[in-house]
Amino acid sequence: MPTTWLVAIDDTDNLESIGTGRLARMLARHLVEQGQLVGPSVTRHQLLVHDDIPYTSHNSSACIRAEGAEGEGAGDKLFELGRAFLLAHRHAGANPGLCVAPADAPGAALQGLARRAQSEVLDLAAFDAEVASFGLRIWSDGETGRGRIGAVCGVALRSTGDDGRFIDLPGIRDLGGRATVAEILARTGVDEVVDGAGRALGPDESIETRDWIRPDLQGGRAVFCVRREGDAWVPASKRIKVFVDNVEQSTY
């Protein structure tokens, strides 16, 4: 029987690195190519932005969710492949973190801890003591080791089914321009297109996607939120870009 796995990373990147979101998408493809995962999706999860927390631009982590093999050996294999991948792609000065767990492993206590990381600065030693009993596969590297906070929180927040934004989901990076709701639902992994009041749009409604279909994770579903701008429906969320020396490095 397959197991649903969560694999989360936090690159705590520097200005020379490619960014957590892109790195997570690369890792997802790598794990598929290695025969360890099938049909992955990737979500971005926002943590607290604070002067006492080292971050480059947005302090986010990313989590892969996908089907894979069952058992301890499968989890260990995912963990080792993920660690080797991050070591191969890390940049000097970065503090990457990794967490691997079955999707049903995080409970209310771990999810609550992750929610705290979205509103307060967590002490690393106290954090380690709290997560020690959860039996997670956790690794971090670099001077600070704080990447493991983001990685663990990425797993916990994804497991709630009600946090984050999809940055990789079948079809969302292939469909652009103007499209009807029916086309979006048929050609991507989006489950529903809704307006600012949460009302589902009809299949014939036309969306100016701006090449930016990034649904939110709501109730375990991929929900694409749109808003009116003049006479057009457009994405409600804004494109986030990171620039280094005027060159775009990553888009979430």
Side-chain angles (χ1 to χ4, degrees), residues 11-18 56 86-96 141-143:
D11 186 38
T12 53
D13 45 6
N14 57 30
L15 288 176
E16 286 72 43
S17 67
I18 62 176
T56 303
L86 293 178
L87 284 171
H89 291 83
R90 76 182 301 275
H91 289 255
N95 295 272
D141 195 23
E143 183 178 354

Side-chain angles (χ1 to χ4, degrees), residues 16 19 27-28 59 88 92 95-96 117 167 213 215 227 244 251:
E16 286 72 43
L27 175 57
N59 192 30
N95 295 272
I167 57 175
I213 300 176
R227 61 182 175 83
V244 179
T251 305

